[in-house]
Amino acid sequence: TTTATTTTTTTTTTRRRRATAKRRRRTRGAATMARGRGGATALLAAAALLLLAASAYGERQGCDFPVVDGADLGPEQFHELFVSAGVPVIVRNAAQGWPAMREWTWNNLREAFRGIPLRVGPGPYPDESTTIDEYLVRAQAAWDDRSAEVPGVFQYGQVPSSWSLWAHKDECIPHVSFLHPNSRPIHDNVTMACQLLAKIRVPNFIGGNEQYKSPPNMVTHSGFLIGLQDSGIDYHAHQAAINVIFDGAKQWFMKVPHAAIAAMERLPSSVQVPSRSDWFCAQNPEIDICSVHELQREVIKALREEHGQDFKIPVPATPEEREEAHVGAFARWIATQQVTEELEPDSEVLQCVQHAGEIVFVPQHVQHAVRNLNPTVAMQMQWNREMYMDREARWRMFHHLLSDLDPTASDPDLVDIPMPDTFRPQFQPKAATAAAANDEEHDLL
């Protein structure tokens, strides 16, 4: 049985590779024409031809995620329906009016990121730094090499603390307080980071707005994502995040837990929920990204039968372990050597095509893989789920930022929130009277 399964998987993979090579040969003429007419601008002019030659996966449009209108989506509703329940969702009409929606197009990349060093390479944490011009040349060369991985720009890291605290305003202090272990700023030049973030707004359903008087959710990390067609990243997971596209389109695959699938079926009528029968894998069970998930179920079932239902499923680390676990189909599809997929018990694979202006919510710790369907400019924002509407976390970050900049300063523009009792002993002024201490805590927040 194992031999037959392996043979079937190998045959499917071989067919997929041949189809991918054929598609790239068909579109190579369009790419060559683009280079002859001048790089990024001509590449956009050839985009229509590239889209006509999209792969079988990309041609099958649609979305298995729920869809909601962001115009009326508030923080409490977003948290209750999607964040707490771990349900992915497409949010529309939530990025209107952002400067980046006008300025960060593929045709304007050279102008938008001129003189700004960018981190380029296989995601999500490349160390190589280059310019946007160098990236465009390198990505095009990789795309022309039909067997090479197309690199992407992954400018990811921790955002300035002020942007976390009052992201719906225009101010950005170029300083990162509370730098997380094993983290780095979104840009090594934090002043440049502030200049880039000035083009962005945290959506109201995450950060609130000027009229929203409760502490907003705290975005801790963000990333600018730029990629040519076929660039992408294998299955991985992280803290809760959103991804917004300014130009282009992405295809997502997510391993959504059964508990979240059940929560999708209980969503209110204001949310569009696709029928199970219309899901991508229900319509296309023969596609390897769908079919291998069924094989992975059998591997998980065998491990649980041998070791018990509470057995922690190991991460396949070697090529042999990955082959036995049937992981790596998506990594092979985008020709990356970085295989990060893990076995996911009790889950279903959902697919979604995201377009410019739409926002995808990625629940915490949910594995997801992404491929750019055409040249794409996007951005990601992450936050800790436990920090949602957390006054103590907000107060702690503000205290550290204020202390870093000027221990005696205060900002009367912030919402008036009393100091949490849990922090009162730690930060009580030693020489102040009780009345003075009470006044100070209101001045700080």
Side-chain angles (χ1 to χ4, degrees), residues 68 105 146 260 276 362 433:
V68 67
T105 63
R146 295 183 295 275
R276 279 176 176 259
V362 182
T433 64

Side-chain angles (χ1 to χ4, degrees), residues 171-240:
E171 294 85 350
C172 179
I173 300 170
H175 182 79
V176 178
S177 297
F178 254 0
L179 188 65
H180 293 245
N182 304 318
S183 187
R184 62 190 298 185
I186 186 174
H187 200 286
D188 296 328
N189 185 327
V190 187
T191 299
M192 280 189 175
C194 281
Q195 293 172 356
L196 292 171
L197 291 170
K199 307 294 184 181
I200 307 298
R201 301 292 181 266
V202 174
N204 289 344
F205 63 84
I206 294 178
N209 52 42
E210 289 86 344
Q211 287 74 45
Y212 187 68
K213 297 304 182 182
S214 297
N217 203 4
M218 291 166 50
V219 175
T220 59
H221 293 72
S222 189
F224 303 101
L225 312 172
I226 302 172
L228 198 61
Q229 181 181 355
D230 291 334
S231 61
I233 186 170
D234 191 24
Y235 279 104
H236 63 290
H238 44 63
Q239 63 195 46

Side-chain angles (χ1 to χ4, degrees), residues 330-343:
F330 190 89
R332 291 190 296 271
W333 182 29
I334 61 174
T336 182
Q337 298 300 312
Q338 294 197 14
V339 182
T340 52
E341 181 182 5
E342 300 180 21
L343 294 173

Side-chain angles (χ1 to χ4, degrees), residues 1 34 87 105 113 118 143 146 156 183 190 203 247 254 273 287 344 355 361 373 383 393 399 408 416 433 444:
T1 303
V87 173
T105 63
F113 292 90
L118 299 171
W143 193 85
R146 295 183 295 275
Y156 170 81
S183 187
V190 187
D247 192 19
M254 254 185 229
V273 181
I287 289 180
E344 190 66 52
H355 301 279
F361 166 61
L373 292 179
W383 64 91
H399 173 86
T408 65
D416 183 9
T433 64
L444 285 176

Side-chain angles (χ1 to χ4, degrees), residues 21-35:
K22 183 178 180 180
R23 171 176 54 80
R24 286 188 172 181
R25 284 195 298 270
R26 288 169 59 194
T27 57
R28 193 171 184 179
T32 303
M33 178 185 67
R35 290 197 309 277

Side-chain angles (χ1 to χ4, degrees), residues 371-387:
R371 181 179 75 105
N372 292 319
L373 292 179
N374 53 317
T376 300
V377 186
M379 184 180 183
Q380 178 206 69
M381 300 180 197
Q382 294 183 13
W383 64 91
N384 287 326
R385 177 175 171 179
E386 290 76 13
M387 284 186 176

Side-chain angles (χ1 to χ4, degrees), residues 424-443:
R424 208 173 290 275
Q426 182 178 357
F427 296 112
Q428 186 76 12
K430 296 180 180 178
T433 64
N438 186 60
D439 290 338
E440 178 174 315
E441 69 186 50
H442 285 278
D443 287 340

Side-chain angles (χ1 to χ4, degrees), residues 317-324:
T318 66
E320 293 76 18
E321 291 174 348
R322 291 167 185 155
E323 183 176 357
E324 291 179 2

